[in-house]
Amino acid sequence: YGCIEIVLEYLYLGKIRVEPTNVDSLLSAAEFYGIQGLTNEIMSVIQQQFVFDKDLIFLYLHYGEQSKIACTEYIRKNFSSLCEAGCFERLKCTDLSPNEFYMILTDEQLDVGSEQIISTAVSSYLQKNSKQILPEEITLLLGTIRFHFLSPQQLVKIYMNYKDYLPSSWKESVVARLCQYERMDVPAFLKLDPPRPSYAKGVAKNLLNHHLTGGTCKLVEYSFYNGASAYNPGTLEGLPSSTWANNGCLIDDPLTQNDSNLSYRCNSSIGSTWTNTTGGVGVLVIDLTQNTDSSRTLRRFLVFQMISDGATTSVQISAYPLTATVAPSYQDIGWYVTMPWKDVGAAVTTTNPPGGDPSGNTVVCTNEFEVDAFTTRFLKIEIRNNGSNGNVGYIELRQIKAYSL
């Protein structure tokens, strides 16, 4: 059957003949003629009848853009069930290369229920292909695992199996996470290899990066309520090196820019600060793009503690509807909560900051929060300090990073 014959058969008889070899031409024809029903039928066949590690990978690698889009959509929506079915244990690197697998794992729309699923998929793929892929490709795939979401047992297992391929900065993340779980008996093999952070830039961009450090964000309101007050009531546009500046928590220093594990400061007092009494709340309203025609989709937040006088003990995040073109006040009734109040733990610092200066001005992330994805231009961040992490007299937030992945 040729493509046109199959399309006509569908239109007149309601039947469809879909094979891996004709998917791309049929999808292209359906798009060209505007036959949405045919597109839906093809996608249904792909999802119900095709075998993941045979037909779908064949389509993904050997046919055109339409086939790749269809396969990617299927993998996005069914990644968890594919992993549970052991599909990634059967994949060979000749079927799906490490770089192609990496592109799937880092797709911003990948739907996974937990970080354990990513960890299992990567581990299964690596075990199947350990002798065929290069060390740098192993490191690339390991970099898709967010270690902060794994249990101590899972962390130790990853380390033991792949310690020769882990960047040294990740070893420090393992130690910090184990300590957070109150596993103070850190395994000896971690102590014998002192971590030396590489400060490699992260793959995904931090979407809460201030425009003064190369991002698109701008602080449009610095406020407070319930007994908090302004510590530094000056400009909203403090320089990247300014201490206690209102926009300080949006400064993403080039040494750890986009890094989802570390936050470096040339001065430990760089961050957003309020004077506080018990129950006080500091508020920031942020324009994510400074552009009426654009917005950001956010899903993941990282909170880094100040190592100054005060601290943060909980954070709440809200978004504003996309119809807004002018920044709303923090008191506007249109705000809706996207991340209700979350507790923030104490700071964990490294003694190996860039350049070897043992000042401890680099903080390791131990406070990571994932929410249902939402899209907005304006973001409201509310911060509290009840004194459990430091002096209750000041609300201080060193940095907050946000990612769409």
Side-chain angles (χ1 to χ4, degrees):
Y1 278 75
C3 176
I4 297 302
E5 286 85 352
I6 295 175
V7 172
L8 290 174
E9 186 177 72
Y10 169 75
L11 291 174
Y12 285 97
L13 301 177
K15 299 180 180 179
I16 183 72
R17 297 169 182 259
V18 181
E19 303 291 341
T21 54
N22 66 17
V23 165
D24 202 65
S25 59
L26 287 176
L27 286 171
S28 297
E31 182 181 26
F32 181 81
Y33 292 111
I35 311 174
Q36 185 60 45
L38 178 57
T39 300
N40 295 340
E41 286 291 335
I42 296 169
M43 293 300 296
S44 177
V45 171
I46 288 174
Q47 295 189 26
Q48 295 178 22
Q49 299 180 23
F50 283 16
V51 179
F52 170 75
D53 50 344
K54 180 183 176 184
D55 300 324
L56 285 177
I57 298 303
F58 182 75
L59 276 175
Y60 187 91
L61 295 177
H62 300 293
Y63 282 88
E65 190 62 28
Q66 292 292 338
S67 295
K68 183 165 287 191
I69 292 172
C71 291
T72 302
E73 183 66 19
Y74 175 81
I75 295 170
R76 283 174 184 162
K77 293 181 178 180
N78 298 277
F79 192 87
S80 297
S81 59
L82 292 172
C83 185
E84 291 171 2
C87 292
F88 298 104
E89 297 174 7
R90 303 192 298 271
L91 275 182
K92 298 179 181 179
C93 59
T94 51
D95 299 326
L96 188 70
S97 74
N99 284 332
E100 288 160 337
F101 191 32
Y102 173 81
M103 294 301 294
I104 291 174
L105 291 170
T106 56
D107 190 302
E108 293 187 359
Q109 299 182 50
L110 191 68
D111 186 13
V112 293
S114 72
E115 200 61 27
Q116 174 63 24
I117 292 171
I118 294 289
S119 176
T120 299
V122 171
S123 298
S124 299
Y125 181 85
L126 291 178
Q127 289 171 12
K128 179 71 175 180
N129 301 283
S130 60
K131 296 181 180 180
Q132 288 79 38
I133 59 180
L134 299 172
E136 55 266 31
E137 293 172 330
I138 297 177
T139 300
L140 181 73
L141 292 176
L142 290 172
T144 63
I145 302 172
R146 293 171 293 176
F147 295 106
H148 302 87
F149 285 141
L150 299 181
S151 69
Q153 294 79 12
Q154 293 161 354
L155 282 172
V156 171
K157 183 177 180 181
I158 288 287
Y159 186 92
M160 291 298 290
N161 288 335
Y162 304 108
K163 59 184 177 181
D164 293 335
Y165 306 100
L166 288 173
S168 55
S169 61
W170 295 354
K171 297 176 186 177
E172 183 157 353
S173 176
V174 172
V175 174
R177 193 61 171 168
L178 289 173
C179 290
Q180 187 183 26
Y181 278 106
E182 298 181 349
R183 284 279 301 274
M184 301 312 294
D185 54 330
V186 177
F189 63 79
L190 288 175
K191 295 179 180 179
L192 293 174
D193 187 9
R196 296 177 178 83
S198 65
Y199 293 86
K201 289 179 171 56
V203 174
K205 287 187 176 181
N206 168 26
L207 300 180
L208 276 177
N209 183 10
H210 198 273
H211 67 90
L212 291 177
T213 46
T216 60
C217 288
K218 182 178 181 180
L219 182 64
V220 293
E221 184 178 2
Y222 164 87
S223 195
F224 41 83
Y225 62 91
N226 279 5
S229 58
Y231 178 79
N232 182 3
T235 175
L236 297 177
E237 293 284 282
L239 295 175
S241 59
S242 299
T243 57
W244 299 297
N246 299 331
N247 61 331
C249 70
L250 302 179
I251 299 300
D252 201 3
D253 191 282
L255 285 173
T256 54
Q257 196 162 100
N258 300 322
D259 194 305
S260 60
N261 182 45
L262 303 168
S263 170
Y264 173 75
R265 292 285 190 256
C266 63
N267 186 302
S268 63
S269 297
I270 295 175
S272 303
T273 303
W274 295 259
T275 302
N276 185 45
T277 57
T278 302
V281 180
V283 185
L284 301 173
V285 175
I286 300 159
D287 186 342
L288 294 171
T289 67
Q290 302 181 71
N291 187 331
T292 57
D293 296 324
S294 63
S295 57
R296 294 284 183 266
T297 298
L298 305 176
R299 185 175 182 179
R300 175 183 170 220
F301 294 90
L302 281 64
V303 179
F304 296 87
Q305 286 281 15
M306 288 268 279
I307 43 177
S308 183
D309 298 322
T312 293
T313 55
S314 57
V315 172
Q316 176 170 272
I317 295 174
S318 302
Y320 203 81
L322 286 171
T323 52
T325 57
V326 178
S329 161
Y330 88 91
Q331 295 176 309
D332 192 290
I333 62 172
W335 291 104
Y336 60 96
V337 174
T338 56
M339 188 182 88
W341 288 105
K342 298 289 186 182
D343 292 339
V344 176
V348 174
T349 62
T350 170
T351 56
N352 295 283
D357 176 15
S359 59
N361 282 346
T362 302
V363 170
V364 179
C365 180
T366 56
N367 300 287
E368 184 169 0
F369 308 103
E370 190 165 325
V371 301
D372 292 334
F374 64 93
T375 302
T376 188
R377 176 184 167 188
F378 298 105
L379 199 70
K380 178 171 71 171
I381 302 174
E382 297 169 90
I383 308 104
R384 297 190 298 208
N385 176 17
N386 63 15
S388 60
N389 289 331
N391 184 355
V392 74
Y394 300 98
I395 300 171
E396 292 189 313
L397 179 62
R398 176 193 186 93
Q399 187 173 7
I400 181 167
K401 297 185 181 184
Y403 298 87
S404 58
L405 180 62

